[in-house]
């Protein structure tokens, strides 16, 4: 755990000299908001000793749970949000900025784990989540570089194209909604649309890219206006039963907060406070690359679509070209050289679970270089000063043992709740999962959430996953 910077008031930075701990690289999103006072905001100088609700984690999950609670008809009188580091410095603040609802690709895998009807519900939920996110940003006029347009899933080998076509047909046969998805099976047309030499086929549908940190900052500011108490640089070190009946003690290095309700919104780090999720939510490192495109892919020639480039072995590149802002192209996903990253971090177990300080990891960036220079038509191999593969950063994904998130009450711990295990796909899940959790917190039943039943946390689900000898992480 980190130690605390000096205590400060709401209008004072946590410290001008306090160093970021090892394990804190800066993503593009964090690089570009260094003067934002929310980064190290503390609502009050002295940590309160009591709160109606304590939310641990300040990413999109924690922010939306707080927002939904405070704008409800019966809001808590006090909510304390604890963030171990800077605001939104976990997975939400380190992703590649893609909200891409899966329309069909995960159908076969979800069906094999949860059955056909749940698979259909999971995919329908992703579409609903994306629609809610876009509607919120537009209605609230959030300045977060929102782009809405066609995302492309491009199969770049015949084997992958045939396999994906099989999933596509299975999804349609099951009654999956496909009228809003364009399928291009002709290789020549796929190459023309995607600008990728190796394209064999593609699918296109609406998705979004955005600046996720700015979206969270907007939601947090709204919740602060509604009464949220935010404490950055305040890691929770334990949650234990209080001597007071029905209460929990959330311990930090700045003091202890007694509360009847704790919401765990730490995603990959959930098992640090909830040991029953050890092995059920597995911290897994990933890299994102920031690329300044050459002139041949700038201006009127800039990429106009976001991408999922589907490669052999289940690897893929997620591509966000930031067409509504600076045109910098971000590469995320699980590219063919992510395995080299796993080998590296496995040399030290702490790297796998906590270390997001990695940057410029050469093998992952090399795969991005090979895709752009060898496959994107006209990209070229020469880069002028100011162009090229200038930076990459790491983040820790919360891998779910069965491929879907955990939403609901923590079994055996009345008053504790969890939303996590987003499997690197939280942007397409949380705008429905967080409101759903709030319905449960306020006395609703699962059917009130509108979420797929397989998302619910139950003792049976956890026991079943703990009993499995292998860890299933098939979804990216």
């Amino acid at each position: 755990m980190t130690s605390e910077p000096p205590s400060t008031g709401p209008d004072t930075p946590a410290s001008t000299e306090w160093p970021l701990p090892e394990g804190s690289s800066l993503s593009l999103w964090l690089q570009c908001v260094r003067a934002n006072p929310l980064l190290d905001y503390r609502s009050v100088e002295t940590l309160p000793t009591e709160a109606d609700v304590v939310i641990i984690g300040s990413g999109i999950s924690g922010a939306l749970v707080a927002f939904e609670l405070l704008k409800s008809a019966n809001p808590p009188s006090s909510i304390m949000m604890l963030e171990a580091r800077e605001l939104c410095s976990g997975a939400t603040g380190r992703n590649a900025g893609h909200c891409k609802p899966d329309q069909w690709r995960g159908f076969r895998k979800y069906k094999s784990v949860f059955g056909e009807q749940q698979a259909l519900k999971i995919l329908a939920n992703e579409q609903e989540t994306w629609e809610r996110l876009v509607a919120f940003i537009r209605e609230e006029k959030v300045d977060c570089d929102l782009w809405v347009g066609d995302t492309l899933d491009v199969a770049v080998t015949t084997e992958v194209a045939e396999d994906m076509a099989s999933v596509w047909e299975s999804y349609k046969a099951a009654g999956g909604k496909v009228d809003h998805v364009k399928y291009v099976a002709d290789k020549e047309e796929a190459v023309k649309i995607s600008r990728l030499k190796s394209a064999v086929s593609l699918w296109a549908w609406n998705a979004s890219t955005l600046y996720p940190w700015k979206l969270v900052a907007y939601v947090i500011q709204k919740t602060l206006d509604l009464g949220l108490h935010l404490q950055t640089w305040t890691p929770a070190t334990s949650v234990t039963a209080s001597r007071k009946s029905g209460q929990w003690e959330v311990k930090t290095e700045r003091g202890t907060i007694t509360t009847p309700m704790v919401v765990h919104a730490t995603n990959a780090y959930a098992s640090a406070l909830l040991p029953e999720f050890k092995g059920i939510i597995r911290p897994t490192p990933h890299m994102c690359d920031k690329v300044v495109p050459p002139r041949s892919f700038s201006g009127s020639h800039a990429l106009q679509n976001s991408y999922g480039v589907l490669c052999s072995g289940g690897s893929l590149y997620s591509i966000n070209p930031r067409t509504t802002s600076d045109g910098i192209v971000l590469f995320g996903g699980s590219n063919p050289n992510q395995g080299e990253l796993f080998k590296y971090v496995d040399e030290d177990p702490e790297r796998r679970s906590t270390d997001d300080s990695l940057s410029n990891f050469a093998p992952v960036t090399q795969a991005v270089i090979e895709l752009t220079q060898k496959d994107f038509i006209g990209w070229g191999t020469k880069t002028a000063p100011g162009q090229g593969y200038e930076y990459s950063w790491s983040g820790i994904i919360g891998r779910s043992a069965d491929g879907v998130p955990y939403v609901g009450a923590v079994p055996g711990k009345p008053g504790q709740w969890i939303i996590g295990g987003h499997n690197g796909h939280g942007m397409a899940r949380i705008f429905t999962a967080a409101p759903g959790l709030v319905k449960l917190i306020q006395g609703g039943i699962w059917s009130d959430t509108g979420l797929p039943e397989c998302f619910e946390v139950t003792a049976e689900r956890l026991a079943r996953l703990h009993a499995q000898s292998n860890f299933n992480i098939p979804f990216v």
Side-chain angles (χ1 to χ4, degrees):
M1 299 291 179
T2 60
S3 56
E4 64 173 285
S7 298
T8 59
D11 299 318
T12 310
S15 170
T16 56
E17 298 180 356
W18 186 254
L20 293 174
E22 184 181 3
S24 291
S25 63
L26 292 181
S27 66
L28 171 66
W29 314 130
L30 292 166
Q31 284 180 330
C32 296
V33 293
R34 301 317 299 162
N36 193 304
L38 288 178
L39 277 174
D40 54 1
Y41 186 93
R42 287 181 178 171
S43 302
V44 291
E45 185 171 339
T46 302
L47 192 71
T49 58
E50 295 182 336
D52 283 350
V53 181
V54 173
I55 298 174
I56 305 173
S58 69
I60 190 65
S61 291
L64 278 178
V65 168
F67 180 69
E68 293 288 332
L69 282 169
L70 286 169
K71 74 179 183 68
S72 69
N74 186 28
S77 59
S78 61
I79 298 180
M80 178 67 63
M81 178 177 286
L82 303 179
E83 169 54 55
R85 300 181 294 182
E86 293 180 325
L87 180 77
C88 190
S89 56
T92 306
R94 297 176 182 278
N95 64 32
H98 219 170
C99 181
K100 178 170 180 166
D102 186 0
Q103 299 297 308
W104 56 274
R105 178 158 38 92
F107 176 71
R108 181 170 60 200
K109 293 176 180 178
Y110 291 129
K111 179 181 175 181
S112 70
V113 179
F114 304 109
E116 183 173 282
Q117 290 306 306
Q118 285 296 296
L120 291 171
K121 285 186 177 183
I122 292 168
L123 297 173
N125 171 257
E126 298 211 7
Q127 178 67 18
E128 180 187 357
T129 303
W130 172 75
E131 291 173 0
R132 285 198 193 183
L133 178 144
V134 171
F136 179 88
I137 293 172
R138 286 175 168 169
E139 290 167 7
E140 297 283 335
K141 297 181 173 59
V142 184
D143 180 13
C144 62
D145 301 343
L146 177 69
W147 168 84
V148 175
D150 274 351
T151 189
L152 308 179
D153 261 9
V154 186
V156 294
T157 72
T158 300
E159 179 185 10
V160 171
E162 291 175 350
D163 186 48
M164 291 297 98
S166 174
V167 177
W168 169 253
E169 294 301 329
S170 296
Y171 178 63
K172 289 197 298 180
K177 182 177 171 57
V178 298
D179 57 340
H180 60 301
V181 181
K182 180 182 180 181
Y183 174 37
V184 177
D186 179 75
K187 177 176 172 58
E188 185 176 342
E189 186 179 0
V191 170
K192 181 179 179 181
I193 293 172
S194 69
R195 301 169 69 176
L196 287 166
K197 296 176 186 177
S198 61
V200 177
S201 62
L202 64 79
W203 290 258
W205 66 93
N206 272 358
S208 290
T209 61
L210 66 151
Y211 199 126
W213 194 95
K214 289 184 177 180
L215 174 59
V216 169
Y218 178 88
V219 175
I220 288 291
Q221 186 59 63
K222 295 279 282 190
T223 57
L224 289 170
D225 295 342
L226 291 169
L228 175 73
H229 291 278
L230 170 64
Q231 297 287 321
T232 62
W233 292 105
T234 308
T237 57
S238 68
V239 179
T240 56
S242 170
R243 293 181 179 179
K244 297 180 180 179
S245 178
Q247 301 282 308
W248 298 98
E249 291 185 353
V250 181
K251 295 183 180 180
T252 79
E253 294 176 358
R254 296 175 58 215
T256 298
I257 308 168
T258 302
T259 179
M261 185 177 298
V262 180
V263 178
H264 296 267
T266 56
N267 197 22
Y269 305 104
S271 65
L273 299 174
L274 292 171
E276 55 265 57
F277 283 89
K278 185 175 180 61
I280 299 299
I281 299 177
R282 177 174 294 181
T284 305
H286 266 62
M287 302 292 298
C288 291
D289 280 78
K290 171 187 174 185
V291 178
V292 180
R295 290 183 173 87
S296 57
F297 274 71
S298 302
S300 61
H301 304 291
L303 293 172
Q304 296 302 311
N305 306 96
S306 73
Y307 288 71
V309 180
L310 313 180
C311 308
S312 297
S315 62
L316 68 85
Y317 299 84
S318 172
I319 305 176
N320 168 10
R322 288 182 52 76
T323 59
T324 60
S325 53
D326 51 33
I328 287 171
V329 185
L330 302 182
F331 291 79
S334 182
N335 82 33
N337 284 351
Q338 281 283 346
E340 296 301 314
L341 175 63
F342 299 154
K343 291 178 184 178
Y344 171 74
V345 299
D346 281 344
E347 295 173 2
D348 180 350
E350 288 300 310
R351 291 176 183 163
R352 173 170 283 276
S353 62
T354 62
D355 189 359
D356 54 17
S357 68
L358 295 173
S359 64
N360 301 325
F361 186 74
V364 172
T365 300
Q366 185 58 41
V368 173
I369 293 172
E370 290 177 2
L371 175 72
T372 52
Q373 294 188 356
K374 295 181 180 180
D375 216 351
F376 271 113
I377 299 168
W379 185 284
T381 59
K382 295 181 179 180
T383 57
Q387 298 175 2
Y389 313 86
E390 59 176 40
Y391 182 64
S392 67
W393 65 89
S394 57
I396 307 297
I397 287 173
R399 285 294 196 203
S400 164
D402 56 8
V404 297
Y406 305 89
V407 181
V410 178
K413 295 182 176 178
Q416 293 197 47
W417 303 82
I418 187 170
I419 175 172
H422 299 299
N423 225 44
H425 203 47
M427 297 304 294
R429 296 264 171 80
I430 295 167
F431 254 80
T432 54
L437 179 63
V438 170
K439 287 184 171 68
L440 297 174
I441 289 172
Q442 296 188 323
I445 60 176
W446 187 262
S447 60
D448 297 329
T449 70
L451 297 170
E453 287 78 5
C454 60
F455 288 12
E456 184 178 11
V457 179
T458 65
E460 293 76 15
R461 182 183 175 193
L462 297 187
R464 182 180 70 254
L465 294 174
H466 276 298
Q468 293 176 351
S469 59
N470 63 319
F471 188 92
N472 182 21
I473 51 171
F475 307 106
V476 178

